[in-house]
Amino acid sequence: MKSNPSDLPTTLADLLARSRARLEPFNTVHYFSEVPSTNDVAALLAEGTVVLADRQTAGRGRRGHSWFSPPGSGLYASVVLAPSRSLDPQGATVLLTLAAGVALAEGVDAASGLRADLKWPNDLYVSRRKLAGILAEASGDRVVLGFGINTSVASYPPDLHGRVTSIESELGRSVDRYAVFVEALAALSRRYDDLLLGRFDAILDAWRRRAPAAVGARVACTVDGNLVTGLTAGVDDRGALLVRVGDRLERIMSGEIQWL
Ligand code: BTN
């Protein structure tokens, strides 16, 4: 296992230096050629620290899934956040992953022009194929926010065929993945400010604009062990997904949504 920090690739160091003013507090980036999971490395570090790896040997997704993390074709990164510093810590904590989804979509858009849709709560999709995912894990009073973005085509395992996509395969041209990383950090910096200052409407409005399937899409979800199917009816101010099931409105706080 190569988990000693490596020197930042020169092109990345240059980009970070040029963008410094836009990245606060995410100016300290530890780069590794290989780690088990960037979330585990970041869990030991201070607020604002960023961990980036070229490859993960034990990348984790939500709900016990693994995250395929081959070298060179994706971004695997974690940032350390402290929502407890917000003017409204509880609100910031519940909206943190939605804010992160918005930021990743904005970063991808700014660096490449690709507009990804958000799927509740924070996955990025293009044409119903997954482009990026977020894993937030508590670490004391901090939150480690890990994100994976597929930047170019990889030899995906068979179970992912047809279910995932990458920025380059959507655009049909190459992209500078370090530019995507830096723009994602810049967008995270802006949305983290929103969280800390309690500007929750700005986050929710941006999330809703990028999530067309959050209203009127047929979905299935397991709630308290029961499978419910219904029509999405938006997200409320606490970031919960509303699903109309017959004449009831289910309020979903956690779970995995399947589009039907
Ligand atoms: C998901 O959609 O299931 C979440 C995927 C999160 C993957 C990223 S890659 C960087 C960070 N380290 C991990 O082990 N997981 C997250």
Side-chain angles (χ1 to χ4, degrees):
M1 181 182 78
K2 297 168 209 130
S3 58
N4 289 326
S6 317
D7 288 336
L8 282 178
T10 322
T11 49
L12 173 57
D14 288 349
L15 269 179
L16 287 169
R18 269 189 271 139
S19 308
R20 241 193 124 64
R22 299 190 294 136
L23 302 182
E24 194 58 40
F26 307 122
N27 273 309
T28 307
V29 178
H30 296 295
Y31 175 80
F32 296 80
S33 55
E34 180 182 308
V35 289
S37 160
T38 55
N39 268 29
D40 292 342
V41 181
L44 309 170
L45 302 171
E47 183 196 2
T49 316
V50 184
V51 176
L52 173 69
D54 190 45
R55 167 175 197 248
Q56 297 184 116
T57 52
R60 292 195 293 280
R62 289 201 312 276
R63 314 200 155 270
H65 295 298
S66 58
W67 187 259
F68 182 59
S69 312
S73 55
L75 288 164
Y76 320 112
S78 301
V79 299
V80 184
L81 307 177
S84 57
R85 284 207 303 112
S86 171
L87 298 177
D88 177 349
Q90 222 193 352
T93 302
V94 292
L95 291 181
L96 186 139
T97 68
L98 267 69
V102 169
L104 280 202
E106 290 173 338
V108 168
D109 198 345
S112 72
L114 178 64
R115 244 192 110 77
D117 289 340
L118 289 168
K119 178 185 179 223
W120 188 87
N122 54 27
D123 289 331
L124 269 63
Y125 272 74
V126 178
S127 309
R128 300 214 163 176
R129 292 176 189 224
K130 187 156 169 169
L131 183 81
I134 290 170
L135 175 68
E137 295 178 314
S139 174
D141 64 344
R142 288 158 302 135
V143 173
V144 174
L145 187 108
F147 59 90
I149 305 176
N150 304 327
T151 51
S152 55
V153 183
S155 316
Y156 294 111
D159 60 315
L160 294 180
H161 282 174
R163 298 171 49 214
V164 295
T165 189
S166 70
I167 299 177
E168 291 193 353
S169 46
E170 290 300 325
L171 294 175
R173 61 174 169 82
S174 63
V175 293
D176 177 349
R177 70 196 179 101
Y178 292 145
V180 175
F181 173 65
V182 170
E183 290 306 323
L185 286 187
L188 268 174
S189 158
R190 293 191 298 273
R191 294 303 177 185
Y192 189 43
D193 263 359
D194 286 343
L195 280 175
L196 293 181
L197 296 172
R199 293 189 297 239
F200 300 150
D201 282 349
I203 293 167
L204 286 162
D205 288 350
W207 192 91
R208 289 176 179 126
R209 277 197 303 275
R210 289 188 180 263
V215 177
R218 200 159 173 73
V219 295
C221 182
T222 306
V223 179
D224 298 330
N226 301 314
L227 186 73
V228 298
T229 59
L231 281 187
T232 54
V235 291
D236 69 13
D237 288 351
R238 310 287 290 171
L241 181 70
L242 305 173
V243 178
R244 183 159 297 287
V245 182
D247 53 9
R248 269 179 311 121
L249 204 55
E250 289 277 353
R251 190 170 174 270
I252 297 173
M253 296 291 292
S254 70
E256 194 159 328
I257 297 295
Q258 276 131 42
W259 281 315
L260 299 176

